[in-house]
Amino acid sequence: MTFILYGAAALALLPPLVAGAQTPLDMQKSSIVAGFRQMGVPLDGKFQKYALDMQFDPARPEQARVRLEVDVHSFDIGDESYNREVRSKTWFNAAAFPKAVFVSSAVRQTGPGRFTVQGQLTIKGKTAEVAIPVQLSQAGKASVFDGTLPIKRLQFNIGEQEWKDTSLVADEVTLKLRLVTASQ
């Protein structure tokens, strides 16, 4: 059973170098992946649908605004029976909580092309303050934001009842974010 990160997604918040509302992402190059261990075996699941609303000027990171919404129904671990289980009430409860959301509260530069994006991640109705280290690079005309966010699934009630046993599915989940702005 895959609990995969609700937040994961949530997180991918990483801001591209575009000012405006809906930030155009290159969905072929962007990804939000939740990595975890089930019975000691490493597994990855990928969120297929998410939307980014961001305003970001690298010269003024303190004025940045980021909102990332991840459709938890779009989580895919490569097996439809697992995908259905992850959407169930015990895991993401996607019927009641269809989106994981990250909203930034502060962005600060920590080095050349490096930023920390702080904000609130909400998964399954639970909210936690998180800080995501982000590396910004250029790929032609596209901006590439890479970040990794470790979270604890039980903090968000992901994996209830017998699935709270962390010997079956580890509590630690790593969200790996790659957000690539569409070349203009």
Side-chain angles (χ1 to χ4, degrees):
M1 308 305 188
T2 311
F3 71 101
I4 313 336
L5 206 58
Y6 201 68
L11 274 9
L13 82 305
L14 313 174
L17 225 115
V18 175
Q22 198 73 346
T23 304
L25 291 174
D26 183 333
M27 296 303 284
Q28 296 300 315
K29 296 178 182 172
S30 297
S31 62
I32 299 174
V33 176
F36 60 98
R37 291 186 168 274
Q38 182 173 324
M39 297 175 61
V41 176
L43 297 171
D44 285 335
K46 185 174 182 179
F47 291 93
Q48 304 292 333
K49 295 180 184 176
Y50 40 93
L52 179 65
D53 179 2
M54 177 180 65
Q55 291 183 1
F56 181 76
D57 177 350
R60 294 186 186 105
E62 68 282 354
Q63 295 178 4
R65 181 182 55 80
V66 179
R67 179 180 178 88
L68 177 67
E69 291 188 5
V70 178
D71 179 348
V72 298
H73 286 277
S74 74
F75 184 78
D76 184 12
I77 194 160
D79 180 295
E80 188 51 35
S81 64
Y82 281 137
N83 294 348
R84 276 193 304 275
E85 178 64 26
V86 171
R87 292 180 204 120
S88 75
K89 188 174 183 179
T90 304
W91 292 100
F92 283 143
N93 194 359
F97 304 100
K99 299 213 183 286
V101 179
F102 172 83
V103 178
S104 67
S105 57
V107 177
R108 64 182 168 78
Q109 188 163 7
T110 57
R114 295 183 182 279
F115 301 87
T116 296
V117 182
Q118 193 160 347
Q120 294 190 326
L121 174 61
T122 302
I123 301 171
K124 201 173 177 182
K126 303 290 181 185
T127 301
E129 189 71 26
V130 299
I132 305 168
V134 175
Q135 173 71 49
L136 170 63
S137 59
Q138 293 299 128
K141 293 182 180 180
S143 296
V144 180
F145 294 86
D146 287 302
T148 301
L149 177 65
I151 66 168
K152 303 282 189 178
R153 69 179 176 87
L154 294 177
Q155 180 178 14
F156 297 98
N157 287 334
I158 299 171
E160 297 181 45
Q161 300 164 10
E162 72 271 13
W163 296 109
K164 285 188 175 194
D165 181 353
T166 58
S167 70
L168 298 174
V169 177
D171 194 18
E172 296 77 22
V173 174
T174 301
L175 296 172
K176 295 168 261 181
L177 311 166
R178 171 164 270 233
L179 300 177
V180 181
T181 61
S183 298
Q184 308 258 335

